[in-house]
Amino acid sequence: MAHSGINVLFEGRNLIRLFGGLWTTVEIAAVALVLGLILGVVLGVLRTFPSRLLRFVLRLYLEFFRIIPTVVLLFLFYYILPKQMGVNLPANQVATLVFALWTAAEMSDIVRGALISVPKHQRESGMAIGLSRWQLYRYVLIPQAVSLELPATINLVTRVIKTTSLLMLISVMDVINVGQQVVEANNQKYPTGVFWVYGIIFVMYFVIDYPLSWWAKRMDKKRLERANG
Amino acid sequence: MAKEIVKVEHLEKFYQKRHVLHDINFSVNEGEVVALLGPSGSGKSTLIRCLNGLEPYQQGEVTFNGEKIVPTEKNWQKIRQKIGMVFQSYDLFPNLTVLDNILLGPVKVQHQSKEAATASAEKLLDQVGLREYENAYPRQLSGGQKQRIAIVRALALNPELMLFDEVTASLDPEMVRGVLNIISNLAQDSNMTMIVVTHEMNFAQQIADRVLFLEDGKILEQTKGSQFFEQPQTDRAKAFLDSMDF
C-alpha cells in the first residue's frame, strides 16, 4: 500500500490547504448569506407594497439574477464590469457581492410569497385596531411569514453554499480550486489521488449542507403538524 | 337631542362597473344599536366595512363624531382606534398570546402604559369569563372563545362605536349564545353604540333599536326595531322575515 491514493491527503500541507480552501468558501458564503438575507427581507417586504413601479423594478431585479446563470454573473462582475467602470475588486469580494445580490433576489421572492399567503383577514384585523402599515408588518405579518418561509430559506442557504463551487472560475482560492491544485501537483505520485481529493470535498460539503436540509425538512413537518393539528 | 356618532350621506360604491351600494343615507346616535339586515349579497358587510375604511367608496360622505372624514389611509388609521370591529372569522393573531393580542392596540397604537393596559385587559377578560386564558395562544381556544377574545381586543381601545360583521356566522350553535350575550350586555350595561350585521333574527329583535333593511345595495326601509319584526313596512322585508322562519 505504499502508493495508496489516500495518502495524497497527508502529503505535505495538503489537508491543511484543503481546509483553508474550505474556510474561504464558508467565509464567502456566510458573509454573502447574511447580507443577502437581510437585503432580501427588505426587498420582499417592499414587493408587497401597492406601488406598481416599485414592484416592477424589484421584479426585474429578481428575474435578472434568477435567469442569468451564476457563472455568467460571476464573469460579468469579475471581468466585464471592472473594465467598463474602472472598479477593481479582489475576487473574494466580487464573489461575495454576486452571491449576496443573488441571495437577496431569491430571498425577496420567498419573503413576498410568505407575506401574501398570510390570510387577508389578518391584515384587516390589524388595520381595524389602528395599526400603521409598519406596525402591521412588524407585529402581524412578518412574524407569521417567518414560520412559512423558514424551510425555503434554509434550502436557499444550502443552494448558495453548494454553488460556491463555481468560485474557482474567477480564481478564488476556494476548496475546489485548492483541490484541483493538489490533484495536479501530486498526479505523478498518486494517480488515484483525484478520487480522494474530490472524495473529501464531497464529505466537506455534505457535512455542511446535510444538517441544514435535515433541519428544513423537520421544520416543515412541524409546521404542518401545527397547522393541521 | 342625542349626539350623532356616525352619519352616512349619499354613499355610493362600485366594484369596477358593478354598483354595489346605492345612495346610502343613515345616521346612528350615541348609545343606539342598529341592525343591518337583508339577504346574502345585499351589501350589508360591504357597507359596514366602508364605515371604518376597509372598503373604499367612490362617492358620498361619512361623518364620525361631527367630523367629515377625508378618506385617506392616514385619516382612517387614526379613526379606526375609535371604531372597534369584529369579523366573522375572528382572526386573532396566531403568533401572539391572548393578552398580547389584546394589548397590541392599546400599547402600540394608543401608547398606553403596559401596566394600565394590562389591568383593563384583564378586567375585560373577566367580564367575558376568559381571564384564565390570558397566556394561551389562539390555537388552544375554541371558536366561541376566540370570538369573545376578538370582542375584547376591539373593546380594549375604548371605541366609541362597535361594528359587528356576522360575528356568529362561523360558530358552532352552542357557542353562539355566549357571544351574543356579551354583545347584548355591551348594549344594555355599557350603552355602547353599535352597528350589527347578523342573520340571527331573534338576537336582532332583542337588541336592535332600529333596523336598516338592505337589498341589492339599497336601503329599502329604516324602521324601529320593535316595529320591524311585527310590521315591516315593505313586502320585501316581510318575505325576508318569513323566509328566515321568523
Side-chain angles (χ1 to χ4, degrees):
Chain A
M1 294 289 280
H3 287 283
S4 171
I6 192 169
N7 285 326
V8 70
L9 300 176
F10 307 110
E11 190 82 22
R13 300 182 58 246
N14 284 355
L15 196 60
I16 294 169
R17 288 189 60 213
L18 281 169
F19 273 106
L22 182 68
W23 177 244
T24 305
T25 301
V26 168
E27 212 178 8
I28 290 173
V31 175
L33 281 168
V34 170
L35 296 177
L37 293 179
I38 293 171
L39 181 62
V41 170
V42 174
L43 298 183
V45 168
L46 292 177
R47 286 187 61 206
T48 62
F49 278 20
S51 160
R52 274 166 190 246
L53 178 70
L54 185 67
R55 284 195 330 232
F56 178 73
V57 170
L58 293 176
R59 183 73 200 272
L60 276 186
Y61 171 74
L62 166 70
E63 297 297 347
F64 179 82
F65 277 92
R66 176 180 279 171
I67 291 170
I68 298 181
T70 319
V71 189
V72 179
L73 286 172
L74 285 170
F75 284 164
L76 188 70
F77 277 74
Y78 189 63
Y79 293 115
I80 301 172
L81 287 188
K83 231 182 204 165
Q84 304 296 325
M85 304 172 65
V87 258
N88 230 333
L89 292 176
N92 286 22
Q93 288 178 25
V94 172
T96 310
L97 180 68
V98 168
F99 275 72
L101 292 176
W102 171 48
T103 307
E106 296 278 3
M107 187 63 184
S108 79
D109 215 33
I110 294 173
V111 169
R112 174 184 164 274
L115 283 173
I116 59 176
S117 59
V118 174
K120 175 171 155 254
H121 292 128
Q122 288 286 322
R123 181 183 282 266
E124 290 185 342
S125 310
M127 285 162 72
I129 57 171
L131 297 180
S132 67
R133 179 151 78 176
W134 156 244
Q135 290 173 326
L136 191 63
Y137 275 92
R138 162 76 181 76
Y139 299 109
V140 178
L141 300 178
I142 293 178
Q144 292 185 51
V146 166
S147 73
L148 293 171
E149 77 197 12
L150 218 44
T153 307
I154 298 168
N155 281 330
L156 175 63
V157 169
T158 59
R159 210 142 56 88
V160 169
I161 292 174
K162 273 193 307 194
T163 315
T164 53
S165 53
L166 298 174
L167 292 181
M168 65 170 294
L169 294 171
I170 58 167
S171 43
V172 173
M173 289 306 287
D174 74 326
V175 67
I176 309 270
N177 213 349
V178 172
Q180 193 110 337
Q181 290 181 351
V182 169
V183 168
E184 279 162 19
N186 297 279
N187 214 5
Q188 294 288 326
K189 201 167 167 195
Y190 300 101
T192 57
V194 63
F195 170 77
W196 293 100
V197 170
Y198 281 112
I200 197 160
I201 292 175
F202 164 83
V203 173
M204 285 168 168
Y205 271 106
F206 184 82
V207 165
I208 295 174
D209 265 353
Y210 184 74
L212 288 171
S213 90
W214 175 81
W215 187 34
K217 211 180 270 168
R218 197 175 133 231
M219 265 194 309
D220 211 25
K221 201 171 137 222
K222 264 190 161 164
R223 185 181 61 79
L224 285 176
E225 278 170 6
R226 255 209 320 267
N228 301 326
Chain B
M1 209 179 105
K3 186 174 145 203
E4 219 171 48
I5 297 279
V6 196
K7 186 171 177 188
V8 178
E9 291 165 288
H10 304 297
L11 187 112
E12 305 271 353
K13 174 164 179 67
F14 298 83
Y15 282 122
Q16 272 91 42
K17 291 239 160 110
R18 209 153 60 83
H19 200 168
V20 287
L21 292 175
H22 296 259
D23 192 26
I24 302 290
N25 294 285
F26 70 94
S27 58
V28 182
N29 289 332
E30 190 167 25
E32 199 180 15
V33 178
V34 170
L36 292 183
L37 304 181
S40 304
S42 57
K44 314 180 291 287
S45 286
T46 310
L47 175 55
I48 202 174
R49 287 160 55 85
C50 283
L51 298 181
N52 73 347
L54 288 179
E55 291 281 350
Y57 45 88
Q58 281 70 37
Q59 277 176 51
E61 297 273 4
V62 177
T63 308
F64 183 72
N65 252 341
E67 263 182 72
K68 280 209 160 86
I69 297 172
V70 180
T72 63
E73 191 48 41
K74 265 233 131 51
N75 285 337
W76 276 120
Q77 192 197 313
K78 272 191 217 120
I79 292 159
R80 284 187 193 121
Q81 302 168 39
K82 298 179 192 149
I83 303 179
M85 180 153 187
V86 185
F87 302 85
Q88 176 178 344
S89 47
Y90 22 91
D91 295 301
L92 299 179
F93 307 127
N95 52 313
L96 300 175
T97 62
V98 164
L99 189 62
D100 287 337
N101 261 278
I102 300 168
L103 292 183
L104 194 55
V107 174
K108 300 297 173 190
V109 178
Q110 295 182 330
H111 306 293
Q112 295 180 24
S113 78
K114 193 155 184 189
E115 293 70 37
T118 307
S120 29
E122 285 175 342
K123 218 169 107 201
L124 287 167
L125 281 172
D126 268 333
Q127 285 171 20
V128 300
L130 291 173
R131 171 77 182 272
E132 71 220 74
Y133 291 98
E134 64 176 33
N135 292 316
Y137 280 88
R139 62 174 178 276
Q140 297 165 296
L141 305 179
S142 72
Q145 290 170 328
K146 281 186 218 175
Q147 194 58 295
R148 281 187 268 168
I149 301 292
I151 294 172
V152 169
R153 182 173 67 180
L155 289 175
L157 291 159
N158 278 316
E160 295 171 43
L161 167 69
M162 284 290 288
L163 308 174
F164 292 96
D165 186 7
E166 301 198 31
V167 292
T168 57
S170 56
L171 295 181
D172 291 338
E174 69 261 41
M175 306 284 184
V176 170
R177 179 137 307 278
V179 171
L180 295 183
N181 283 342
I182 289 169
I183 301 177
S184 311
N185 289 341
L186 204 56
Q188 275 141 26
D189 306 341
S190 318
N191 210 21
M192 177 66 78
T193 315
M194 308 198 273
I195 301 177
V196 182
V197 171
T198 184
H199 285 120
E200 304 273 339
M201 289 304 132
N202 286 312
F203 169 65
Q205 183 179 30
Q206 183 197 326
I207 66 160
D209 297 316
R210 192 146 49 94
V211 172
L212 301 191
F213 181 73
L214 270 82
E215 190 181 42
D216 293 333
K218 296 179 193 115
I219 297 182
L220 291 193
E221 68 171 275
Q222 297 201 33
T223 314
K224 273 199 152 141
S226 48
Q227 194 192 343
F228 180 84
F229 294 94
E230 307 299 330
Q231 285 178 307
Q233 294 168 347
T234 54
D235 290 343
R236 186 61 191 92
K238 193 167 182 300
F240 172 74
L241 286 175
D242 286 344
S243 75
M244 299 297 283
D245 281 328
F246 188 80

